[in-house]
Amino acid sequence: MAENGNGSVKEGFEMPEIKYTKLFINGEFVDAASGKEFETRDPRTGDVIANIAEADKVDVDLAIKAAREAFDHGPWPRMSGYERGRILHKYADLIEQHIEELAALDGIDAGKLFAFGKAVDIPGAIRMLRYYASAADKIHGETLKLNGAYQGYTLKEPIGVVGVIIPWNFPSMMFFLKVSPALAAGCTVVVKPAEQTPLSALFYAKLAKEAGIPDGALNVVNGFGPTAGAALTSHMDVDNISFTGSPEIGSVIMQSAATSNLKTVSLELGGKSPMIIFDDANLDMAVGLASAAVFFNKGEICVAGSRVYVQEGIYDEFVKKVIEVAKGWVVGDPFDPKVNMGPQVDKVQYERVLKYIEYGKRDGATLLTGGKPCGEKGYYIEPTIFADVKEDMKIAQDEIFGPVMSLIKFKTIEEAIERANCTKYGLAAGILTNDINIANRVSRSVRAGTVWINCYFVFDADAPFGGFKMSGFGRDQGMNAIEKYLQVKSVITPIYNSPWL
Amino acid sequence: MMGQRLVSSLLSRCLYASHRILNPLTRQERKLGLATRISQRFSTLTAIEDPVTPPVEVKYTKLLINGQFVDAASGKTFPTLDPRTGEVIAHVAEGDSVDIDCAVKAARKAFDEGPWPKMTAYERSRILFKFADLIDEHNDELAALESWDNGKPFEQSAKEEVPLLSRTIRYYAGWADKIHGLIVPGDGAHHVQVLREPIGVAGQIIPWNFPLVMFAWKVGPALACGNTVVLKPAEQTPLTALYAAALLHEAGLPDGVLNVVSGFGPTAGSALAGHMEVDKIAFTGSTGAGKIIQELAAKSNLKSVTLELGGKSPFIVMDDANVDQAVELAHSALFHNQGQCCCAGSRTFVHERVYDEFVEKAKARALKRVVGDPFKQGVEQGPQIDEEQFSKILEYITSGIDSGATLVAGGGRAGNKGFYIQPTVFSDVKDEMTIAQEEIFGPVQTILKFKNLNEVIQRANASPYGLAAGVFTNNLNNANTLMRALRVGTVWINCYNLLDAAIPFGGYKMSGIGREKGMDSLNSYLQVKAVITPLENHAWL
C-alpha cells in the first residue's frame, strides 16, 4: 500500500480561499443570530478549514420568512417560466466559470477526488441545473373530460416554500438535484447543507444572487439536524420537505412533517443495492463494474453496489480478479490525480466503517482483502472485500457507507432474485448479463428504483431516481422531480351550448 | 337594460357626430375615388422621401450546402428587392433541382452517418442554446436585414421577431433532452417500449411574411429532435435565413445538418417536396401551394406532410365589450405586419349594439395608422412585400367597393413609390362578398354586423379556413361557448397574435395539417417505433 503512496497528503496543493462562511438569508450573508459557529474539517488531515456560522431555529425562521415573502409577494413565481429559465441558465453559466474552485471546495470539505469533481461532479450539477432551466417553460396542466357540460382543466402551481436537507457525500450534485426543479417550478427554497460540507452551498448561494435569482428565493442555512434541520421540517410555513440522507433521519423528518402542518415529503434514503452477475457476463467488465460500484467515492454513495451476487460458474474466477483490482485501487490524497479513493468524510464515518469490518469478521465472513485503515493521519480505509457473506449478517443488511464489498455466490436466477430482494432497501440494482430474457426478467423482479443493466452509476438529469421500500419515496431527476414541487389545481366551470363534450 | 342601451346608443351617436365634423366625406364621395385624399389630409403616410439606408451589410447571398456557401450549379442568380422602392438589394444564388439534390445528399449523409443524430440530446441542446445567444448578439443586424428584405417596421423586427427567434430556439433546445417515448402495457407477457426517433431529412419551405420567425418554428423542432434539414426560404426574402444559418454553424452545427437553398417554388420547392430521399416536408404558405406540396409528397415517397396555410380568421366583438379596447385589438389583429399574417383577424364581426360606434372608431384608428419607411421610428406600417401582392390587394379593394361594401377609410396606394397601401376599412360587409371570403393578405379590414351568439358562430365557421379566431368579451359563458364552437386552431380571448413558443399553432380545415410550436410540433419530426419482446417469468404485468 505504501508504495502507492496510499493515505498520504499531497504536497504543495494550494488550498482554495474560503470566501463564504456565513448564513445566506434574503440575499445577504449574515451571522447566526446567536453568533455561534462550528468547525468544518479537512478529512485528509482532520484539520479545521474554516469556522461556519451555525444556524438554529431563530435563523431558520428568518430564512423561511424571507422565502415565504419571496413566494407570496416576490417576483419569482410571478415570472414566466422562460424568464426563470433564463436566470437559471445564467446561473449554470456562472457555475461553469468556477468549476475548479468549486471542485476544490468539495475536495477539501468532503475528501472527494478533485479531478473527478472537475470532470464529473460539478459539470453534472451544471447539467442538472440546465435541464430544469429548460423545463421551467414545459410545465403543462391538462384540459379534462368531465361527465357533464363542464369545462375543466388542471393548473400546475408551485407548491410554495420548499425545505431542502442534503447530505455530505455529493454536496454539489445534491444541492442542484433538489434546488433546480424547485426553483424551475417557481418555488422558493431554504437549504440546509450537511454540517460536514457547508462550503460549496454558500458559494452557490452567492452565484445565485449574481445570476439574478431574487432575494429570498434561495436561502442557505448551515447547521445541525437536531436544531436547524428540525426547525425546517417542523415549520408551519414550509410547504414541502425534500431530504436525502439516512433512513433513521428520514423517519424523523416524516414524523416532524406529520406533527406540524402535514407538509409533503420526499425522501431519498439509504440502500444496500445488489449487483447481480450472471455466468454469461463479460468477466472483466463485471469485475470492473462491481469494484467501482462499491469503492467509488469511498463507498459513500447511497446507490453503492454493496452486495455482489456472482453466479457459481464464474465465481472463483471473479474472486481472483476482484481481489487484484481492489489491491490496485490507489487510496490517497484526493487532489492527487493518480488516486482512486480519498479518505472517509469524518471520524464518525471512519470509525463506523471499521466497526462494520469487525462485524464481518465476527459473523464469519471471509476477509479476502483490505480491512484496515491506511496512512498515518486522516480517515483512509483500504478497499475491503468479504466473501461467504450470508443475508442475515450485519454487513449484508446495513448500509456501511464505506469501501466494503460483500460477495455472495448463487446458483439460479430465482435464487438471485429472491436474495437480492431480501433487504429492507430498494434503491438500485445492477444486472450483468447479455441474455435478454434474464435482463428483462430480473429488471422487473428486483424491487428497486433504478436498474442498471451492464452499466452502473449512469445518473442522468432525465432519468428519475429514488427508492422502493425503506430507501424512500418520491423521485429526484427527470420531469418526475418537478412534480414534487407543484400543486395540482382542478378548475371547473359550466359550459353552455358546447358542440362537443 | 333599456337605460343602458339608450346611453350606449347616445354615446355612439355622439361620437359618430363628432367624427363627422372631422371627416365630412360622404360614402358617395369615397366611392368616387377620393379615398387617397383622405389619407393625405390625415397624413397616415409619413412622407416617403428618400428611403433610410439600412444599417446592415448583405454578407450571404449564396446557397448553403454541406456547411459551405456555394453558387448555384447553373450559376444563376435572382434579385431580391427592397419593397420600399422596388430596387434590387442583392442578387442571390438561385437553387433548382440540381442544387436541391446536392443539399438533400448532404443532409442525408449528415443524418445517416452523423454526428448530429448520434450526439447526446444535451450536446445538441448546447449548440442550439449557443445559437440563440449568437442571435441575441446580432439582434439588430438580423432585424435590419429582415426589414430591408421584407418591408416590416424595424422596431417590430428588432423588438419582437428576432427575440422570438432566439426564444423559440431556446424552447426547442430545452426539449432535446426531454423527448420521451412510453413504456406501454401489453395484453400478455410482453415488454413494450415506444421509441421516438428522429424522422430523417426534413424539407422545409417557409414564407416571406415572417422569415425569421418561420425559420425558428421549422428549424427549432427539427434540429432538437436530431433531424437534418433542407430549407427553402421564400424567394422574396432569402437574406435572413442565410444569415441565421451562418450563425448556427458558428455555434457548432455540423456540416450538412442545415442546408439553405434559395429559389422558386416550381423549381427548388417542387424538387424538395417531390424528393425520394426527403422523409418529411413542412410548408407554410398559401393553400394553393399547400395542395401542390401534398400532391408531390403523395406522388413521390409518401413523405409525411405538415401544412400551415391561409386563413380568414374571425374577430368577434360581443356587445359587452369595451369598444375602445376592442377597436384597438381588432385593428392590430388585422393590420399587424401590413396585414400579411396568415392568422390576420380579417373578418371583424361586431355585435349590432356596438356596431356603429365600433365602425367609427375603427375608421379613426385606421386613419391614424402611421405608414412609412419601416426604418423610421414610430412607423406602424411599411410597404407590402412586392408588386404582385400590392396589385392583388388593390384589386380586392376594388372588388369590395364594387360589391357594395362601404369604404370608410383608405382604399388606395400610399405614396407614389414602392408598395405602400393605405390602411383600408370596409363596413357593411356581407358574408358572400369576395373580400369576406378570400384571404386578402393586406391592410384591409372588413367589418360585419351580427345579432346573436348562435348566428355569429355559424357565420364565423362558414369558411373553408380554420386557422384562428379572436373573441372579445368579458362574459365567461360566451367566451367558453365560443372557445369550443369555433372550428379553428387558435382562439384568442381578449387578446390576439399571442404566439409564444409553447403554444401550438395550426389550422382546421383548409388552413392546414399538423401544428407548429409547442410540444405538438415535435411529433411532426419524430418517428414512433414500438419495440416488443416477450417476458419470461415476469414479476408483474
Side-chain angles (χ1 to χ4, degrees), chain B residues 80 111 168 183 215 270 276 316 454 509:
Chain B
T80 184
F111 184 78
T168 305
I183 302 303
F215 179 99
S270 299
M276 294 299 288
I316 300 169
N454 288 337
K509 300 193 269 185

Short mmCIF file of all heavy atoms in Angstrom, two decimals, chain B residues 80 111 168 183 215 270 276 316 454 509:
data_model
loop_
_atom_site.label_atom_id
_atom_site.label_comp_id
_atom_site.label_asym_id
_atom_site.label_seq_id
_atom_site.Cartn_x
_atom_site.Cartn_y
_atom_site.Cartn_z
N THR B 80 -33.21 40.09 -55.17
CA THR B 80 -34.19 40.27 -54.09
C THR B 80 -34.37 41.78 -53.94
O THR B 80 -33.41 42.55 -53.97
CB THR B 80 -33.79 39.56 -52.79
OG1 THR B 80 -34.85 39.72 -51.85
CG2 THR B 80 -32.49 40.08 -52.19
N PHE B 111 -27.38 12.89 -41.73
CA PHE B 111 -28.30 12.12 -40.89
C PHE B 111 -27.85 10.67 -40.76
O PHE B 111 -27.78 10.12 -39.66
CB PHE B 111 -29.73 12.17 -41.44
CG PHE B 111 -30.70 11.47 -40.53
CD1 PHE B 111 -31.14 12.10 -39.37
CD2 PHE B 111 -31.12 10.16 -40.77
CE1 PHE B 111 -31.99 11.44 -38.48
CE2 PHE B 111 -31.96 9.50 -39.89
CZ PHE B 111 -32.40 10.14 -38.74
N THR B 168 -37.69 30.94 -29.37
CA THR B 168 -38.20 29.67 -29.88
C THR B 168 -37.09 28.63 -29.99
O THR B 168 -37.28 27.45 -29.68
CB THR B 168 -38.87 29.89 -31.25
OG1 THR B 168 -39.86 30.90 -31.10
CG2 THR B 168 -39.54 28.62 -31.76
N ILE B 183 -43.39 3.46 -22.15
CA ILE B 183 -43.40 2.01 -21.99
C ILE B 183 -44.86 1.66 -21.81
O ILE B 183 -45.50 2.15 -20.87
CB ILE B 183 -42.58 1.59 -20.75
CG1 ILE B 183 -41.14 2.10 -20.87
CG2 ILE B 183 -42.62 0.08 -20.56
CD1 ILE B 183 -40.41 1.65 -22.11
N PHE B 215 -38.49 30.52 -39.74
CA PHE B 215 -37.23 29.75 -39.63
C PHE B 215 -37.18 29.06 -38.28
O PHE B 215 -36.91 27.85 -38.17
CB PHE B 215 -36.06 30.73 -39.80
CG PHE B 215 -34.69 30.12 -39.70
CD1 PHE B 215 -33.97 29.81 -40.85
CD2 PHE B 215 -34.09 29.90 -38.47
CE1 PHE B 215 -32.69 29.27 -40.76
CE2 PHE B 215 -32.81 29.35 -38.37
CZ PHE B 215 -32.11 29.04 -39.53
N SER B 270 -40.55 22.40 -55.63
CA SER B 270 -41.09 21.14 -56.13
C SER B 270 -40.07 20.02 -55.99
O SER B 270 -40.42 18.89 -55.65
CB SER B 270 -41.44 21.24 -57.61
OG SER B 270 -42.39 22.20 -57.79
N MET B 276 -37.26 11.79 -53.34
CA MET B 276 -37.42 10.44 -52.78
C MET B 276 -36.61 10.24 -51.50
O MET B 276 -36.85 9.31 -50.74
CB MET B 276 -37.00 9.38 -53.81
CG MET B 276 -37.89 9.29 -55.02
SD MET B 276 -39.62 8.87 -54.66
CE MET B 276 -39.46 7.14 -54.20
N ILE B 316 -64.37 38.38 -33.20
CA ILE B 316 -65.77 38.56 -32.78
C ILE B 316 -65.86 39.51 -31.59
O ILE B 316 -65.30 39.23 -30.53
CB ILE B 316 -66.40 37.20 -32.44
CG1 ILE B 316 -66.35 36.29 -33.68
CG2 ILE B 316 -67.83 37.37 -31.93
CD1 ILE B 316 -66.68 34.85 -33.41
N ASN B 454 -75.40 32.52 -31.55
CA ASN B 454 -75.52 31.38 -32.46
C ASN B 454 -75.27 31.78 -33.90
O ASN B 454 -74.64 31.06 -34.66
CB ASN B 454 -76.89 30.72 -32.32
CG ASN B 454 -76.99 29.97 -31.00
OD1 ASN B 454 -75.95 29.60 -30.42
ND2 ASN B 454 -78.20 29.79 -30.51
N LYS B 509 -59.48 22.45 -41.09
CA LYS B 509 -59.98 22.54 -42.48
C LYS B 509 -58.86 22.90 -43.48
O LYS B 509 -57.76 22.34 -43.38
CB LYS B 509 -61.15 23.55 -42.53
CG LYS B 509 -62.31 23.12 -41.63
CD LYS B 509 -63.57 23.91 -41.90
CE LYS B 509 -63.65 25.15 -41.02
NZ LYS B 509 -64.92 25.87 -41.16
#
